[in-house]
Structure formats: structure tokens, C-alpha cells
């Protein structure tokens, strides 16, 4: 686990660089190069202490040694020149191994500021070389700032998802392990840690009667590795990774080296177009390959069994084909692989079902936030198991232990442990009796698997059912047969009730101002003088916000990024009822493709059925829901329109803010260097997190200083921290109620005084020039009390909205027989 001191040093190093090196990837590279530079000197020093000789900084390269670099007599510009020259010449150093030469290849110093370099190297000097896992974990933390290379369809896999996949496959010490799109080698390192953890001997269990141990109380829970030196040597050789990016290869090499791999096997290699390694196979493959394909598609070589141009199809095909006869794989894939109807996708799924697929784990959309909201699944392959089994398991993860918004904050709900246990039980059952036909109805399910089935988070589907229509869809929802969602009303095929019709192209330059809304996947985008569909109309996002359902009350023009709903028989269905019903289907879960997600209407038709009550009952349901919705709309109107207002009495004196208080900028603190703690942190946009330290003892005012929240006003809690994009009060010159001050500052609208040009900003001097009314303190307190009473009534509307939204959900649940 990453210790706080190391984390702080990495954060500080990044903070020093950020002004000169704004790109996170370049920051990581500069810290990597500096750490390796320092570690080589540490290893030389250690060798000398043990009676050996230096091998890295010798001969002509001795002048670049770390001690000489950090000599206090060295001037700033001299240090800059020496370090810049040292890293540039290091690839030519005959005394360093090829791994280090690769790391320094094309390395350079991207800035020429001596003070920045001096501060940066001072932090690097605090690190000491250590092959322990602690430093490796620190480097993985550093890599986490890379986030994503979204333009290439590459997104950093969350650590807990990686560990989940490794736990399911359970790699063994004798097996070869491959990631053919390895990025920073996260999967390989997790697999390595798993093997080390599962090859340890507990000394207590080995010899609980050893009397000599009684004198060593600290050894009571000692465990040691059970791997022999030969096994450790073979283990390191069993790990292999490929990546097309030389930068990723370099970062992988460092990451593995810091985790104890003295000779890591990571290759710059294009898995999809190169042929040199085609005949190399692996026992275990773990990967999250890139989803994006270049314009015109991939042009693979001829060895692939499936003819395709999409990267996700080719990567999955590659991995399935490169497993040994008893090989296993866990692969993250976009939803296109799960149910896209093009021939390449169907051929791929058919091959997987027949030869290697044993389970599919559906992950919630948002797992890859904040980098991407793309919906993904995990394919679990096991070649020997798949040949013996006649069923495939489908698991659904609704919560992965983190909120699915941009912040991805930890939450209590987490299905991963139960799904992992259920998946292991399913695999164990397959190994016990691959021919057990009764398992298709899950009669032999063991405890956890059975519990997941009952919760609707797992189901076991016969392979013949997947093959029935030749589509081989891997969407578990498609095979539920009504047992997961029952209805008291008849279930009808989707197309029997309504169809999804394509919107029409209407470029902005061809629109003529008129009364009819133009509707895209995100809602109304403008108006036109003609309409395509008579209202009320249901519009469903086809691209972009695919699956989002919108009701337009009047005639409208859905554009070509959308579908509009056409009733098959208008005498059988109510359009408003269909709108509410479609919202219960969670159509965004069917999004597929990379880049801009899309919704295939065929997937909707084949996945969902529609419960259809009699028309009169539909109207009654709509009337009930609309009654609740009116209450919600009224409550939202109160929340939207309420603004505290202080009527100014002409007798109140007007005073300059500079005569009321003195301001100061907050202290620098970013999301990356916040330390886990209980004290609130405030910036221009209000509370932004918590920290282990504070510098404000009592409640205070924060005024946004720069950016979009320039001039915004907030009251802090006692014992808080204010960041440097906020101003706070350091001294009150007159007696004033804090709540009153906040309200008059809000009413003053400080943002109108902001300077524009680049980011808007507001200075202390500008704030001081503002004037506010200052009645007696008792009057201020009475005004604040009145406003607080109003705000309590307004806040009650939020509870009202929550209650009535639950009533709507309960009404819709009754249609499905869920309440």
C-alpha cells in the first residue's frame, strides 16, 4: 500500500513541474527519468559500500553522478546544464543495462528554469532506491495521473477491476502470462502480486510447536515465500507484454523493474498488424485493449481467423487464438462486441461461444469515469472448460464500490466480491461436471451463485439458446424469459407495439427559424419552420447520448442522431404511457461502439418486450404519474426561482468593503496533494474535498478569485482550508454578521467586476471598492433569521421531489409486477 510520505513527495514533484510541464504524461516521464537517474547512483553507492565498484557513473560519466549534481556549490545554471547533458548522454553509457538505455532514449529537459529544476531535484533526492513493493506502488500511483489517451480509445483500467479479473483467472506460478495491449503493465503486476501472495508459507502453521519461536514475539504471524530461486527466475520470464506506443513501453519497463523484474519482457509491438510474434501463445491473457479504430479501420495481416477492421474484434480474436489448449483469459470489451449485428461481431461471438467463452460480466456504465462513460463487459475465456460445458454464465455488476459520476467516490454498495465468488463457484461446477444438463436451470447452483440468480445479477444460459437465431448475442438481459421482469399485463414484442424510426438530416445552415423544436440526442437544439413528427412525440438518442428518452409535447423535427417512436397501432397504446415505459428499460445500457456511443434499434427490439395494459388502464397510469410530476415541477420551480433578497433601507449607511474586512488568497492545495482527513477544503466553487490539515479556526467567507466561479461567495465550516483560487477574510475591521455579509456579497454580484481576457479573475483591490449597506448588528441578525426560515421551507421542496419521484417509480414498478 502506498505510504503517505511517498505519495506526498510524488504530488510535490508534480506540483513543482506543473507550471513548466503542464502535460501529465510529460510530468510522469520527467519524474521517471529523474528517479531512475537517482536510483542508478544509489546502486553505485551501495556497491561501493559492499566493497564493489561503481558501474553506472564511471569514466567520462562520473561527472554526472548524483552527488556532483546536488553539490551545494553548484550554481543553478550549472546544475541545469549538467543534468540536461547527463540525461541526454545516458543512452550512450556502456555501463548501464539495455533496459535503462531504453528508458533514457530520446529523454530531454523540456524547460530551462534553474529554480524549477533545483526544487524538483531536491524532492527526488528524498527518494531512496528500494526494490520493495512500496516504491512500485508509488510509481503506479504516479502513472494514475495519466488517466486516459481517449483519442486512441485507451482508458486506464481501475485497479479494483484489474484485481477482480486476476482473482477470477487465478494465474499459477508455472503459467505464461500475456497482456497484448499492456499500457503501463497494470494487469501483469497484479497477476505477479497474486502469484506471490498465493505462494507463501505461514510459519505458525508450519511449526506451531517450535519452542524457539516463543522468544520472538514479532514472528508470530510471519510468512515467507515458498518459491524456490529457480521458480522465481522462471516466474519473471513468464510475464510478457506488448504495446504499440514506445512511451507506454518505457513506463511499463520502469513499473515492472520497480516491482522486482530485473529483466522485464515488454516489447514495442503492434499486435494487430505485426506477424513476428504470431506463433507465441500464453496460458493466461489479461487485457483492456484499445477500442478505437483509425479512420478506414485496421489493416491486419492474413493470420487472423476473423476478417475485420475493428480493433476490438481483432484484439479479442487474437487473444482467443493465442491461448494454449488449457489457457484462460479475461478481456474488457465495449458493448459492440456484446451485441453489434455486423457479420464480424457475430462471427467473433460464434467462435467464442463454441470454443472458449465461459462467462460474461456486465460492468456498469461509468466504471471508466471521468475518462469515459462507455459501457463495458468482461469476457471470461477458458478453452478446456468451454469444450466440456454446454452453458454460459452471465453476471451483472450494478455497483463496483464507487459512485458512477465523474468523481468516482467510494460507496458502500459493491457487487464485485459476490460476483467474483459466484463466478468461481460456476467455474468450479463446470470443472466438477461439465455435462450436468440440469445446471441450465440453475438447480445445482451453490450458495453465492444461487443468491446472485435470485437477485437478478446472474443467470445460466444454454449455448443452444445463444445460437438459436444465429446472432450469438452476449447480452444476458436478452435471455431472461420473463422471470427477471414479470408483468401483470401481457408482454408484447417491442415492434408489435412501436418502432424506432430514423430522424432526418437537418444541418444548422439549412434551418429556417420557426415554431417547431429541432430535437437531437441531448434534447431541443433549435427551431425550424417545418416538422417531421406530429406531437406529442418520443425521441430516443441514437448517437452521442444514445438511449436517452425525451418527450416533446408538440410537433417537432428529430434529426439524424435520434430515433423517433412510431406506434404500430395507435388504438392500442398511449404515447405518454410509452414514454414512461421506455424510461424503465434503461436503453443506455445497450450503447455500443467506441468514440461516439451508438444505439442499434435491432438490439432494442431483440432485448426488450413491452407490457401493454388496456388503453384505459394506460391512461389511468399516465394521469397518476402526471399528477405526481406536477407536484415535482412545482417544487423544482420553487428551488429554481427562490433567491434570498435583502431590501435596502435608505437610512442604512453604505460602506466600502475595504473598510469592512481585509482579504487574502488561500493556500495552494490540489486534488492530487490533498491528504486523507476530516477537515473541509473550499475553493471558488465551494467545498471541494477534505484534507488532514486546516488553517481557519472559525467559519469564514470564501470569494471565488479566478475562473468560472470568479466572484462566487460561500461560508466555510469552522476548521477548514481555503485553496488559492479563493479569497478569504483575514481581518474584520467592523462588526458584521457572517450570514448577512455573505448575502449582501451575493446580492452585489461580484462577478460583474471581474477582469476578462484569458480566465476571468477578481482581485482583493477590486472587491474592496465594492460598497454594501451596513445596518445595526441586531437588524443584520433579524434579516439572516428571516432568510434562514425561508431557506428551511425551500429545502423541504427537495424532500417533496424525492418522495414524489419514488411514487412515480412505484407506479412504474407495478406495471412490471415489482411491487
Amino acid at each position: 500500500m502506498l505510504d503517505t510520505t511517498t505519495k506526498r513527495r510524488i504530488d510535490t514533484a508534480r506540483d513543482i513541474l506543473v507550471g513548466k510541464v503542464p502535460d501529465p504524461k510529460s510530468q510522469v516521464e520527467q519524474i521517471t527519468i529523474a528517479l531512475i537517474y537517482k536510483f542508478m547512483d544509489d546502486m553505485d553507492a551501495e556497491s561501493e559500500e559492499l566493497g564493489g565498484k561503481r558501474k553506472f557513473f564511471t569514466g567520462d560519466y562520473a561527472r554526472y553522478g548524483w552527488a556532483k549534481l546536488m553539490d551545494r556549490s553548484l550554481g543553478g545554471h550549472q546544475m541545469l546544464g549538467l543534468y540536461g547533458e547527463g540525461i541526454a548522454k545516458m543512452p550512450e553509457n556502456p555501463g548501464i543495462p539495455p533496459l535503462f538505455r531504453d528508458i533514457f532514449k530520446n529523454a530531454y529537459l523540456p524547460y530551462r528554469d534553474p529554480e524549477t529544476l533545483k526544487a524538483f531535484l531536491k524532492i527526488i533526492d528524498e527518494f531512496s532506491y528500494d526494490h520493495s513493493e512500496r516504491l512500485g506502488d508509488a510509481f503506479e500511483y504516479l502513472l494514475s495521473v495519466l488517466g486516459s489517451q481517449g483519442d486512441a480509445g485507451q482508458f486506464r483500467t481501475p485497479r479494483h477491476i484489474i484485481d477482480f479479473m486476476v482473482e477470477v483467472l487465478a494465474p499459477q506460478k508455472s503459467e505464461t502470462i500475456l497482456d497484448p495491449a499492456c499500457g503501463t503493465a497494470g494487469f501483469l503486476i497484479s497477476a505477479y502480486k497474486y502469484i506471490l501472495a498465493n505462494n507463501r508459507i505461514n510459519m505458525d502453521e508450519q511449526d506451531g510447536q517450535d519452542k524457539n519461536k516463543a522468544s520472538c514475539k514479532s514472528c508470530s504471524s510471519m510468512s515467507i515465500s515458498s518459491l524456490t530461486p529457480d521458480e522465481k527466475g522462471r516466474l519473471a520470464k513468464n510475464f510478457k507484454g506488448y504495446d504499440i506506443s514506445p512511451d507506454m513501453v518505457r513506463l511499463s519497463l520502469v513499473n515492472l523493474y520497480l516491482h522486482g523484474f530485473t529483466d522485464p519482457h515488454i516489447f514495442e509491438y503492434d499486435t494487430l498488424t505485426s506477424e513476428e510474434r504470431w506463433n507465441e501463445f500464453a496460458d493466461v491473457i489479461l487485457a483492456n485493449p484499445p477500442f478505437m479504430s483509425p479512420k478506414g479501420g485496421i489493416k491486419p495481416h492474413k493470420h487472423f481467423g476473423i476478417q475485420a477492421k475493428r480493433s476490438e474484434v481483432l484484439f479479442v480474436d487474437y487473444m482467443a487464438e493465442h491461448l494454449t489448449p488449457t489457457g484462460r483469459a479475461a478481456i474488457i470489451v465495449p458493448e459492440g462486441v456484446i451485441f453489434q449485428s455486423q457479420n464480424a461481431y457475430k462471427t467473433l461471438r460464434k467462435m467464442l461461444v463454441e470454443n472458449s467463452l465461459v462467462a460474461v460480466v456486465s460492468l456498469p456504465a461509468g466504471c471508466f469515469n471521468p475518462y469515459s462513460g462507455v459501457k463495458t463487459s468482461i469476457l471470461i475465456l477458458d478453452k478446456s472448460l468451454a469444450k466440456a460445458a454446454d452453458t454460459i454464465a452471465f453476471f451483472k455488476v450494478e455497483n463496483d464500490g464507487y459512485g458512477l459520476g465523474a468523481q468516482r467516490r467510494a460507496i458502500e454498495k459493491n457487487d464485485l466480491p459476490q460476483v467474483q465468488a459466484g463466478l468461481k463457484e460456476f467455474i468450479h461446477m463446470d470443472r466438477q461436471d461439465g455435462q450436468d444438463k440440469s445446471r441450465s436451470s440453475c438447480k445445482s447452483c451453490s450458495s453465492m451463485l444461487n443468491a446472485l440468480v435470485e437477485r437478478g445479477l446472474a443467470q445460466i444460459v444454454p449455448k443452444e439458446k445463444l445460437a438459436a437465431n444465429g446472432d450469438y448475442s452476449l447480452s444476458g438481459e436478452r435471455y431472461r424469459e420473463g422471470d427477471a421482469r414479470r408483468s401483470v399485463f401481457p408482454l408484447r414484442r417491442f415492434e408489435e407495439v412501436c418502432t424506432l424510426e430514423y430522424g432526418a438530416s437537418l444541418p444548422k445552415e439549412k434551418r429556417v427559424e420557426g415554431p417547431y423544436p429541432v430535437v437531437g440526442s441531448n434534447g431541443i437544439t433549435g427551431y425550424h419552420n417545418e416538422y417531421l413528427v406530429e406531437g406529442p412525440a418520443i425521441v430516443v438518442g441514437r448517437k452521442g447520448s444514445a438511449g436517452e428518452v425525451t418527450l416533446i409535447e408538440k410537433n417537432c423535427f428529430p434529426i439524424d442522431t435520434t430515433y423517433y417512436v412510431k406506434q404500430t397501432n395507435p388504438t392500442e397504446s398511449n404515447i405518454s404511457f410509452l414514454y414512461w415505459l421506455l424510461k424503465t428499460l434503461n436503453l443506455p445500457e445497450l450503447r455500443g461502439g467506441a468514440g461516439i456511443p451508438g444505439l442499434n434499434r435491432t438490439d432494442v427490439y431483440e432485448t426488450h418486450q413491452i407490457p401493454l395494459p388496456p388503453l384505459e388502464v394506460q391512461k389511468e397510469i399516465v394521469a397518476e404519474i402526471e399528477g405526481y410530476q406536477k407536484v415535482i415541477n412545482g417544487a423544482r420551480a420553487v428551488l429554481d426561482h427562490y433567491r434570498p433578497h435583502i431590501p435596502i433601507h435608505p437610512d442604512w449607511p453604505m460602506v466600502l468593503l475595504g473598510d469592512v474586512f481585509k482579504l487574502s488568497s488561500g493556500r495552494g492545495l490540489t486534488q492530487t496533494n490533498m491528504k486523507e482527513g476530516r477537515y473541509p477544503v473550499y475553493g471558488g466553487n465551494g467545498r471541494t474535498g477534505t484534507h488532514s490539515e486546516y488553517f481557519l479556526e472559525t467559519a469564514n467567507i470564501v470569494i471565488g478569485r479566478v475562473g468560472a466561479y470568479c466572484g462566487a461567495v460561500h461560508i466555510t465550516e469552522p476548521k477548514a482550508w481555503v485553496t488559492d483560487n479563493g479569497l478569504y477574510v483575514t481581518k474584520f475591521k467592523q462588526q458584521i454578521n457572517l450570514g448577512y455579509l455573505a448575502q449582501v456579497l451575493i446580492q452585489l454580484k461580484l462577478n460583474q467586476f471581474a477582469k476578462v481576457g484569458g480566465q476571468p479573475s477578481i482581485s482583493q483591490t477590486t472587491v474592496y471598492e465594492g460598497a454594501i449597506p451596513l445596518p445595526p448588528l441586531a437588524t443584520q441578525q433579524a434579516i439572516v433569521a428571516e432568510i434562514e426560515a425561508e431557506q428551511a421551507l425551500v429545502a423541504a421542496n427537495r424532500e417533496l421531489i424525492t418522495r414524489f419521484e419514488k411514487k412515480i417509480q412505484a407506479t412504474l414498478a407495478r406495471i412490471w409486477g415489482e411491487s
Side-chain angles (χ1 to χ4, degrees), residues 685-700:
N685 58 338
R687 182 167 173 162
T688 60
T690 58
H691 190 44
S692 60
E693 301 174 22
Y694 66 91
F695 66 84
L696 295 179
E697 284 284 351
T698 59
N700 206 303

Side-chain angles (χ1 to χ4, degrees), residues 143-434:
L143 293 179
S144 72
V145 306
L146 288 177
S148 76
Q149 300 293 320
D151 55 342
Q154 297 171 309
F155 304 102
R156 190 178 72 86
T157 315
R159 169 59 50 194
H160 63 293
I161 301 296
I162 291 176
D163 292 343
F164 168 84
M165 295 164 66
V166 170
E167 286 278 348
V168 168
L169 292 193
Q172 302 300 304
K173 62 184 179 182
S174 60
E175 293 181 316
T176 53
I177 299 165
L178 170 68
D179 182 347
C182 67
T184 59
F187 280 106
L188 298 178
I189 287 167
S190 180
Y192 180 65
K193 290 180 180 178
Y194 177 90
I195 294 171
L196 293 181
N198 284 273
N199 285 274
R200 301 192 70 79
I201 300 172
N202 188 307
M203 298 304 291
D204 288 341
E205 294 174 1
Q206 287 295 301
D207 190 2
Q209 304 303 316
D210 185 353
K211 304 304 181 183
N212 294 328
K213 282 176 63 179
S215 62
C216 181
K217 294 180 181 179
S218 64
C219 296
S220 59
S221 60
M222 181 188 294
S223 69
I224 61 172
S225 174
S226 63
L227 296 172
T228 66
D230 285 346
E231 286 175 332
K232 286 182 179 179
R234 286 195 297 271
L235 181 61
K237 294 178 181 178
N238 284 344
F239 286 80
K240 190 181 300 181
Y242 311 147
D243 203 281
I244 195 172
S245 165
D247 293 330
M248 290 297 105
V249 169
R250 178 159 59 179
L251 294 176
S252 289
L253 290 170
V254 176
N255 203 5
L256 286 164
Y257 185 83
L258 294 178
H259 279 87
F261 288 74
T262 55
D263 183 25
H265 295 76
I266 304 294
F267 304 96
E268 184 181 335
Y269 182 71
D270 186 343
T271 304
L272 303 185
T273 63
S274 300
E275 301 181 52
E276 298 85 49
R277 300 185 179 277
W278 182 261
N279 293 323
E280 297 178 9
F281 296 83
D283 299 308
V284 173
I285 296 180
L286 293 144
N288 175 16
F291 299 163
M292 187 73 74
S293 300
K295 188 174 182 180
I298 303 287
K299 295 179 180 178
H301 53 67
K302 303 299 182 182
H303 292 298
F304 283 90
I306 295 175
Q307 300 304 307
K309 293 184 178 181
R310 299 291 305 178
S311 64
E312 63 267 32
V313 174
L314 292 167
F315 265 114
V316 175
D317 181 23
Y318 180 93
M319 287 180 260
E321 290 194 43
H322 283 78
L323 288 173
T324 60
T326 57
R328 311 179 304 288
I331 313 164
I332 294 177
V333 296
E335 288 299 88
V337 170
I338 301 300
F339 48 66
Q340 283 280 12
S341 57
Q342 288 95 325
N343 286 335
Y345 290 96
K346 289 197 286 189
T347 304
L348 174 68
R349 293 194 294 266
K350 181 176 185 293
M351 180 269 289
L352 292 174
V353 169
E354 292 177 349
N355 299 322
S356 56
L357 185 68
V358 295
V360 179
V361 180
S362 173
L363 297 175
C367 258
F368 288 88
N369 277 336
Y371 317 119
S372 171
V374 65
K375 177 77 175 65
T376 58
S377 294
I378 302 171
L379 303 182
I380 306 297
L381 312 185
D382 189 317
K383 292 188 78 168
S384 63
L385 214 56
K387 295 284 174 64
D390 59 359
T391 57
I392 289 174
F394 291 88
F395 295 88
K396 183 178 182 180
V397 176
E398 292 180 338
N399 294 285
D400 69 337
Y402 296 86
L404 298 174
Q407 298 299 320
R408 292 287 276 151
R409 302 189 189 282
I411 60 174
E412 290 185 4
K413 295 180 179 179
N414 186 1
D415 301 322
L416 284 174
Q418 292 84 3
V419 169
Q420 179 182 308
L423 183 48
K424 283 192 171 184
E425 287 178 4
F426 174 80
I427 291 172
H428 177 71
M429 287 159 47
D430 259 344
R431 295 201 189 282
Q432 291 296 307
D433 188 1

Side-chain angles (χ1 to χ4, degrees), residues 574-814:
N574 177 280
I575 193 74
S576 295
F577 172 81
L578 292 179
Y579 163 71
W580 287 106
L581 191 71
L582 291 182
K583 287 178 74 68
T584 71
L585 300 183
N586 197 9
L587 296 179
E589 277 204 345
L590 297 179
R591 290 174 183 169
I596 301 175
L599 179 70
N600 188 317
R601 61 182 179 179
T602 303
D603 296 326
V604 177
Y605 296 161
E606 294 182 357
T607 303
H608 292 295
Q609 293 179 304
I610 292 180
L612 201 65
L615 190 59
E616 287 306 311
V617 175
Q618 294 178 42
K619 292 177 180 179
E620 290 172 7
I621 291 170
V622 169
E624 181 182 352
I625 291 175
E626 288 181 346
Y628 298 145
Q629 191 64 46
K630 285 178 182 178
V631 175
I632 293 171
N633 293 343
R636 282 188 177 144
V638 172
L639 293 174
D640 291 342
H641 294 97
Y642 172 75
R643 297 290 183 277
H645 178 70
I646 300 174
I648 308 301
H649 195 283
D651 294 340
W652 294 348
M654 298 294 291
V655 296
L656 292 173
L657 287 171
D659 295 329
V660 176
F661 53 55
K662 178 176 173 55
L663 295 172
S664 180
S665 293
R667 302 178 187 177
L669 187 67
T670 66
Q671 289 287 343
T672 56
N673 61 18
M674 280 186 198
K675 301 174 186 175
E676 190 78 24
R678 60 190 180 92
Y679 302 112
V681 175
Y682 290 85
N685 58 338
R687 182 167 173 162
T688 60
T690 58
H691 190 44
S692 60
E693 301 174 22
Y694 66 91
F695 66 84
L696 295 179
E697 284 284 351
T698 59
N700 206 303
I701 292 285
V702 176
I703 300 171
R705 187 179 65 83
V706 64
Y709 297 96
C710 179
V713 179
H714 310 278
I715 298 179
T716 75
E717 297 175 40
K719 294 187 177 179
W721 187 291
V722 176
T723 64
D724 55 4
N725 65 353
L727 301 170
Y728 71 99
V729 177
T730 55
K731 179 182 178 183
F732 283 100
K733 299 179 180 179
Q734 298 196 39
Q735 197 173 27
I736 189 169
N737 180 280
L738 202 63
Y740 175 80
L741 176 59
Q743 292 300 333
V744 292
L745 287 175
I746 291 170
Q747 203 162 304
L748 187 58
K749 296 181 180 177
L750 291 170
N751 61 347
Q752 66 179 308
F753 306 117
K755 293 180 180 178
V756 293
Q759 285 199 89
S761 62
I762 192 168
S763 67
Q764 300 167 27
T765 304
T766 304
V767 175
Y768 293 155
E769 292 172 354
I772 61 169
L774 194 64
L777 187 60
T779 304
Q780 296 176 35
Q781 292 169 340
I783 290 170
V784 171
E786 176 67 20
I787 289 174
E788 287 176 348
E790 292 173 357
Q791 289 175 333
L793 292 172
V794 171
N797 283 273
R798 293 189 179 90
E799 175 64 21
L800 197 65
I801 290 171
T802 300
R803 286 177 178 271
F804 277 76
E805 284 178 339
K806 287 181 179 177
K807 287 179 180 288
I808 290 176
Q809 296 307 314
T811 302
L812 294 169
R814 289 203 308 270

